[in-house]
Every structure is written in structure tokens, then in C-alpha cells.
Amino acid sequence: MNFIAQVVWIFPKFDPIYLFYIFLMGVAAFVYVKVMNYLQNKQTSVVNHWVEFQRYASARKCNQLELNILHSFYDHLNDDEREIYLLPENRNKLKNALYRYFLKSNANTTEREVDLFDKLFRSGVEFKKEILSLNDLTVGEVAALEADGREELTYVMQKTTDELLLSIKGLSKDLLVPGKEAKLYVFRPSSGGYLLEGSMTRTNESGVIFHFNGKIERKGESHLMLTEKLSITVAPWPPPDEKKQVLELDKNKLLLTEENIDKQLEVLKRIAKDQKEHNEKRFEIKDNPKPFITLSERLSDRGILFTFPVEISPEIWKQQDLWEVSFGFENGPNFNIRAKMMPTKQKSDLYLLRYVDADETVRKTLYEEIRKRGGIREVLT
């Protein structure tokens, strides 16, 4: 007798609880997808917020170090704050939040914080103003109070023709001494830093009165230039490696081999065609970047304007990324600085060498040499 025929097949009954399990699995899958999308969108939103913030700061002439400071500030904000502060109508909220952040942080110099405030929040009209008196300061302007060899962040709450009421939030109590001599550091992106000399005449729980004595000293980011011509030597950097000389091929002596004969024949055909059509310029060998000596038109602590000597093609600036410029002053130091070369917008025969590796010591030394020789306000473009 067939054993299989004797087996009684019992099929499981469909229990309603299975529907509940299927429902739970669907809910779990739905929640998982939603959570992953939320996290992904959140991360994308954070990146986009920073990109927008960075674009705004770059448009306000913030340099890379200042962008790094802003990135640290941005990282400590929550998501809602990041979105709110990006709105143009909330610039004051951004300013207040950044000020509170700087009061709690000791990671940056006070002067750099003042510079950053001025670049971010100065209006277009005020952007180019110089500081000639207290009239050129604005209520709400962030500044640095310097006394006893220290610098601490403050801001202008009120002003008269010769006095300022400064906020004492964040100021050390031992600085708030009536009669103490002090200086107030302010900044303008177009002309640099300024030190206003004076003293603290009165202090109370709301602020300190700074009495301005009329003396203003330039400091910091101002740039000067020399218009007298100075001999400069410009060379490709890094220098060409003699062991890696490029072979110059004669177009009339092309080497034909079994491996590339078809390709070379095509080249020969194109050469013959262009020669027939008098299109020899296609095969002119471009000037290789090489050292040359010329005269500066304007020389500053940030770059040099110059013209190419007649024997050098201006097109070589396109063929080399970095150049080393060497020059010296009579009875003064010599400089060797790496720079990027580019044409200027105003005159086609003027080119700019913009320094890329001059550290603060080099810049200050160069600035002093230019100042001693009667340098004027820098204009490089």
C-alpha cells in the first residue's frame, strides 16, 4: 500500500493575528524609511546652510582664517538657529549671537574678531569710510578696548563728539578704572585698522565712558604701495628639473614606427593640409615659461604690478601656476616670494603677481620698507 496515499494533509488555518504582524512589519519599514530620509535631509540641510553662510561671508571679503572662525561658530549652533541666522532680515540676530560666542571664546584675537564683525555687518556706504573722528563710528559698532597690554571685546552704545559709552559686558573689572589710559581699536575693510587714543573717565553698571583725545593711529590691515620702478626677477616655481627636459619635435622629422604609423600618417596629412592653406600658426611652438627681469609698476605688501619685457610672450602666465619673484631695496632686505600671475582688468599690458606664501613677518617687513620710502594707499587693479 502506498504510504503517501495514507498521509493525511492538514493545511494551517489563516489566523487574523498574521494580519497584525504584517501591519507591524509595514509600519516598521515605513518608519525606517522616514527616519533615514529625515537624517539624510537634515545632513543635506546642514551642509546647505553652511554653504550659504560661507557664500555670504566670502562676498563680504572674509579670508580663509576668518571663514574657519565662522565655521567654528556655525558648528555650535542648533539647526533652527542656523536657518534663522541665514535670513537677510535677521542679520542683527546673527550679529548678537556671534558677539555672545566671542565673549565666551578665547580662541581668537580680539582684533581679528573686530575685523570680522566689520566685514560681515558694515553697510556698503560705510565699507569704504576712513576713521577721521568719532563721527565716523556708528552706534552698535563692535570694537576692542586696549589697556594694560590687553584687548577685550566691547561695542559702542552711545556717542558724542568726543566721548563714547561702551558696553561693559565681557570686560574685566580691573580694566574699568576711571582715569586709566586706553585705546579703542576699530576696523574698516577698505583702509584697515585704527587705534583711537583716550582714557576711561567714568564707569557704572551700564557701561564705561571712553574720552577720545583726538589722536588716531593706523594699525593692521592697511596696505601701502610704491610707484617708483624697482627691478624684479621672475622665475617659474618650482624650477624645471634638468633631468626631465621636454624634447622639442621638428614637425618635418616625424618618426614613423610600426606601432604608431597610422596615427603619424594622420598627423602628416593634417600638417600638409594646413601648410597648403597657409595655416602655419597651428604648429608654432609656444614659449616655455622661463625666468625674466623687468621693472615693477607698483609694488605693495600683497603683490606687484609689472609689464613683460618685449622678448617675453605675455601668454606664458597661462602655462605656469606659480612663480617666484625676487627683489630687494637699496640698503634694505631682499625678498623671495612665491606668487600667482594674472592679467589685470584695466590695462592689457599690466600683469599682477599676487603673493601666496608671504607670512605675517614677511608682510610686515615689506610693509615697513614701503612705508619708509613714502608708500601711498595700495591700488593694484
Side-chain angles (χ1 to χ4, degrees), residues 64-123:
Q64 186 58 53
L65 182 56
E66 290 164 336
L67 289 175
N68 293 341
I69 294 172
L70 289 175
H71 201 293
S72 298
F73 161 71
Y74 185 82
D75 284 342
H76 102 286
L77 299 174
N78 61 45
D79 292 342
D80 292 337
E81 290 172 333
R82 290 170 179 172
E83 187 170 359
I84 290 172
Y85 294 150
L86 281 178
L87 298 175
E89 61 268 25
N90 290 335
R91 292 295 181 232
N92 281 336
K93 292 182 179 179
L94 172 61
K95 182 177 181 180
N96 293 335
L98 186 59
Y99 186 81
R100 292 193 299 270
Y101 172 76
F102 283 155
L103 288 181
K104 297 177 182 178
S105 172
N106 296 318
N108 315 296
T109 64
T110 307
E111 286 191 3
R112 190 171 296 282
E113 292 169 351
V114 173
D115 297 355
L116 188 52
F117 266 99
D118 211 279
K119 289 181 178 181
L120 287 175
F121 306 112
R122 180 69 48 191
S123 71

Side-chain angles (χ1 to χ4, degrees), residues 303-369:
I304 302 174
L305 280 183
F306 72 98
T307 56
F308 281 102
V310 292
E311 68 274 12
I312 300 294
S313 169
E315 294 300 310
I316 64 174
W317 77 271
K318 300 177 181 178
Q319 303 171 37
Q320 179 72 25
D321 186 40
L322 291 177
W323 299 78
E324 183 174 59
V325 57
S326 304
F327 58 93
F329 294 94
E330 185 178 357
N331 300 321
N334 295 318
F335 295 88
N336 295 283
I337 307 174
R338 262 61 62 189
K340 290 188 74 70
M341 186 184 296
M342 60 197 75
T344 61
K345 296 180 180 179
Q346 290 183 335
K347 294 181 66 177
S348 60
D349 60 338
L350 276 181
Y351 286 77
L352 171 65
L353 284 162
R354 175 76 74 179
Y355 310 143
V356 296
D357 74 339
D359 59 25
E360 196 63 25
T361 300
V362 171
R363 288 184 186 275
K364 287 182 177 179
T365 303
L366 183 51
Y367 177 90
E368 285 301 314
E369 292 298 322

